[in-house]
Amino acid sequence: MVENNDSFIREVNEELRSDQVKQVWRRFGTYIIGVAVLIVVGTAGYRGYEYWQDRQSSASGDQFLAALTLASEGKRDEALAALAALEKDGYGAYSVLARMRAATVQAEKGETQAAIDAFTAIGKDTSVPQVIRDVARLRAAWLLVDAGTYEQVSAEVEVLAAPRDALRHSAREVLGLAAYKAGDMVKAREWFEQITEDNETPGNVSSRAQMMLDNIVASGKAP
């Protein structure tokens, strides 16, 4: 008798649950279907977007490599044309990479001022990631050692010579060279000493700085 009662209670409970499900479905079925459709469509859209991104990135990567090949083969005008197109239509970071490489090609062609202007423009472009802006300013400074003044070099990179800046070693070296070229041996010595006294300076940079310090001492032009 107890078993029959238990069985009867289970059947009643199942029936009640079934009725509740039906009621919920009648009230919210349309919404449930709508949410399910949105999930499916959203997932499909996201996958499609990922596929589109991959295709765009791959295409821009191929264009960039083709431009690098042209440059390495000495076809600089063709390389500049390819890089200009990529700068305009490239996907993601390839646009700014094209700008950087185009400036390098201009320098290789002997168009020094155009290259300096290009690197300086990248260095001032706030839409470009900071690390690339800093590298561009450093590239401009290296060109300015021969083509500009110490003040111009300083305006580009002295801020990068700060104690904890990742590019401080190169910034100090270019500042030291610019000062040396300008005949300011005191300032040149100060920059080269900062390099040799920094325990984190790479060995090759430290060695070059020590050579310059030896030359300055030998010249007798710095107390």
Side-chain angles (χ1 to χ4, degrees):
M1 183 66 177
V2 174
E3 290 183 3
N4 289 336
N5 286 338
D6 289 344
S7 178
F8 174 74
I9 291 170
R10 281 197 300 273
E11 290 176 6
V12 170
N13 286 337
E14 288 172 4
E15 189 65 29
L16 286 172
R17 281 196 295 269
S18 177
D19 286 342
Q20 289 171 346
V21 169
K22 289 175 183 177
Q23 288 175 12
V24 170
W25 184 256
R26 288 194 200 101
R27 293 180 61 188
F28 303 109
T30 302
Y31 300 106
I32 293 171
I33 292 172
V35 170
V37 170
L38 286 174
I39 291 171
V40 172
V41 171
T43 301
Y46 178 72
R47 295 301 181 193
Y49 179 66
E50 279 190 326
Y51 175 73
W52 177 83
Q53 280 188 312
D54 289 342
R55 289 290 298 274
Q56 293 294 105
S57 180
S58 178
S60 291
D62 290 342
Q63 287 178 268
F64 187 66
L65 288 175
L68 294 183
T69 300
L70 289 170
S72 68
E73 293 174 349
K75 301 174 182 178
R76 296 192 177 98
D77 290 333
E78 294 176 48
L80 286 172
L83 290 166
L86 190 57
E87 179 184 338
K88 180 181 177 182
D89 301 318
Y91 180 78
Y94 284 105
S95 178
V96 69
L97 290 176
R99 291 174 66 185
M100 290 285 286
R101 184 55 186 169
T104 300
V105 173
Q106 288 176 314
E108 291 170 351
K109 285 185 66 181
E111 299 173 359
T112 305
Q113 190 56 53
I116 291 170
D117 291 343
F119 282 127
T120 298
I122 295 170
K124 293 178 179 178
D125 189 344
T126 55
S127 69
V128 174
Q130 187 64 52
V131 64
I132 296 179
R133 292 173 61 192
D134 290 346
V135 170
R137 292 166 71 179
L138 195 56
R139 296 293 300 278
W142 278 106
L143 293 172
L144 284 166
V145 170
D146 290 324
T149 65
Y150 174 82
E151 288 71 26
Q152 288 175 305
V153 173
S154 177
E156 291 289 347
V157 297
E158 188 156 348
V159 67
L160 303 179
R164 302 312 306 167
D165 195 287
L167 297 177
R168 66 187 182 278
H169 313 299
S170 293
R172 291 168 179 171
E173 184 173 22
V174 72
L175 285 162
L177 290 171
Y180 186 88
K181 180 174 178 290
D184 190 340
M185 297 303 165
V186 174
K187 194 178 293 293
R189 188 194 64 190
E190 290 173 356
W191 286 119
F192 291 128
E193 284 178 346
Q194 285 190 43
I195 293 172
T196 58
E197 291 169 1
D198 187 335
N199 292 330
E200 296 181 1
T201 300
N204 58 335
V205 179
S206 185
S207 295
R208 290 196 298 267
Q210 187 58 56
M211 286 177 55
M212 295 304 298
L213 285 171
D214 293 342
N215 288 336
I216 292 169
V217 170
S219 72
K221 294 180 180 180

